[in-house]
Amino acid sequence: MKNNIVEINSITQIHNTLDIQKPKHPLVSVIPMSLLSQYNYGDYTYVMDLYQISLKTGVSGAITYGRNSYDFQEGTLVFSKPGQSLSYSENEGTDGEEGWMLIFHPDLIRKSPLGESIDNYTFFSYEANEALHLSNDEKQILTELIQKIEREYENNIDRHSQELIIANIEMVLKYCTRYFDRQFYTRTNLNKDAFSKFEKLLKSYYKDELHLDLGVPTVKYCATELNMSSHYLSDMLRKETGKSAQEHIYNFVINKAKTRLLSSSESISQVAYSLGFEYPQHFSKLFKNKTGYSPVEYRKSS
């Protein structure tokens, strides 16, 4: 522990920290939420070298988004990946809180196909306020899969155990992908409002000449301004429009470039610098990639 940071590097260490019985498996564990809610987290930031999926039910208070309440309240699912920092306020409203936390070490999946594909599950990088809200049926399906994982490591571990545990973890992630798609769909009006704010943000970015100091707008900048994580913003836009946040930014910049190329006699370098590019060759490469023409060819053909 240093500077109020607690580093958790193993399944055994988190069991010791919570003062609960030793884990049955060195690389994976399921801990009841009732045990977690009793622990005094104190004024510390926890950094875990583990993947975590936590289901909380019975949390007091309704979760709303603006004036709308699109989401189910029966259970909330949050995710974190190795290296993320987690902090907790004083325990409030945890009476009657139920659920579970699945934790597993990267070594569990390192040699499996899931080890190669887990980065595709971008919800591990979402913020807590971008959690997945479950119906009772969805909660039951996931809990049954978690119980299968528990049964595998609680029985005598054999050469099939790890493969079956990983298969069930992958099923959990596939169902979560489906449920996030459902959640994006049920929030469609909210997402359209966010998309409108995103477009206005890009316009004001150039109107306020922020590009002269900050360069071409980044997904991280836009997400921060919209109070979202980068991955959530991109996933939300992709579900709503078929394009990622980065694609929208590039399309916006290229449209500005087209106007500039046709309405001025500035050199290609001047156009690039005026849009926030540090190197003109990066602008030219992006322009050709998006339009099929180099900036010079586009200006001559129009």
Side-chain angles (χ1 to χ4, degrees):
M1 185 165 52
K2 50 188 178 182
N3 298 326
N4 284 357
I5 293 177
V6 178
E7 297 178 356
I8 305 289
N9 299 313
S10 68
I11 301 295
T12 298
Q13 189 179 355
I14 196 169
H15 275 246
N16 290 341
T17 299
L18 295 170
D19 194 25
I20 58 179
Q21 64 179 6
K22 293 181 180 179
K24 300 288 182 66
H25 192 289
L27 298 176
V28 61
S29 184
V30 177
I31 301 174
M33 194 57 64
S34 57
L35 293 178
L36 291 164
S37 62
Q38 293 171 11
Y39 179 73
N40 181 9
Y41 294 94
D43 186 23
Y44 299 110
T45 296
Y46 296 80
V47 180
M48 296 202 300
D49 189 28
L50 305 167
Y51 288 96
Q52 174 189 241
I53 305 173
S54 297
L55 172 68
K56 292 185 178 184
T57 65
V59 180
S60 60
I63 301 172
T64 57
Y65 295 83
R67 297 180 181 177
N68 302 308
S69 182
Y70 292 103
D71 301 304
F72 299 103
Q73 301 302 316
E74 285 84 352
T76 302
L77 208 63
V78 294
F79 306 80
S80 68
K81 63 183 180 180
Q84 282 183 308
S85 59
L86 307 168
S87 57
Y88 303 87
S89 58
E90 292 183 13
N91 293 350
E92 293 180 358
T94 56
D95 289 341
E97 187 173 282
E98 298 177 352
W100 40 259
M101 179 174 73
L102 168 67
I103 47 175
F104 59 96
H105 196 279
D107 285 351
L108 178 74
I109 62 171
R110 204 174 298 279
K111 295 180 180 179
S112 72
L114 180 58
E116 294 291 326
S117 65
I118 195 162
D119 286 343
N120 296 331
Y121 296 101
T122 52
F123 42 75
F124 276 106
S125 297
Y126 289 179
E127 299 292 342
N129 64 330
E130 298 159 349
L132 177 60
H133 304 290
L134 302 171
S135 69
N136 269 327
D137 286 344
E138 291 167 347
K139 181 179 66 176
Q140 183 176 343
I141 288 170
L142 293 180
T143 299
E144 287 174 356
L145 289 168
I146 293 299
Q147 289 170 346
K148 288 182 179 180
I149 293 170
E150 281 188 286
R151 283 196 293 271
E152 275 302 320
Y153 68 64
E154 285 179 350
N155 293 330
N156 292 327
I157 296 175
D158 58 30
R159 65 188 182 90
H160 301 286
S161 300
Q162 186 155 322
E163 182 181 353
L164 289 168
I165 288 170
I166 293 171
N168 280 292
I169 291 174
E170 191 161 18
M171 284 297 293
V172 169
L173 298 178
K174 288 181 183 296
Y175 272 108
C176 289
T177 300
R178 168 186 277 183
Y179 300 154
F180 264 116
D181 282 351
R182 182 268 305 154
Q183 181 163 287
F184 280 121
Y185 176 76
T186 57
R187 291 186 188 179
T188 185
N189 289 334
L190 193 67
N191 292 344
K192 286 176 180 175
D193 183 51
F195 179 51
S196 176
K197 290 179 180 178
F198 175 67
E199 288 187 312
K200 289 178 182 177
L201 177 65
L202 291 177
K203 290 175 183 176
S204 64
Y205 187 90
Y206 280 93
K207 182 181 178 182
D208 297 339
E209 298 186 336
L210 296 180
H211 60 289
L212 299 180
D213 292 323
L214 303 178
V216 176
T218 63
V219 175
K220 184 177 180 180
Y221 171 86
C222 295
T224 299
E225 290 296 305
L226 295 170
N227 296 315
M228 296 181 182
S229 66
S230 298
H231 282 294
Y232 189 88
L233 175 61
S234 271
D235 289 347
M236 182 269 291
L237 289 174
R238 190 177 285 109
K239 294 290 187 299
E240 197 66 33
T241 69
K243 296 182 176 68
S244 68
Q246 189 66 75
E247 288 177 289
H248 279 288
I249 291 171
Y250 283 158
N251 288 342
F252 181 86
V253 172
I254 292 302
N255 283 332
K256 288 188 72 68
K258 287 178 178 178
T259 301
R260 197 117 189 175
L261 287 167
L262 298 183
S263 63
S264 76
S265 58
E266 293 176 323
S267 69
I268 303 305
S269 293
Q270 287 174 314
V271 172
Y273 292 135
S274 72
L275 292 170
F277 286 89
E278 187 175 1
Y279 302 106
Q281 58 267 37
H282 290 176
F283 162 66
S284 296
K285 183 177 180 181
L286 175 65
F287 192 92
K288 184 156 189 176
N289 179 263
K290 289 294 182 182
T291 67
Y293 298 94
S294 71
V296 173
E297 290 169 341
Y298 180 80
R299 179 176 266 169
K300 287 179 178 179
S301 66
S302 302

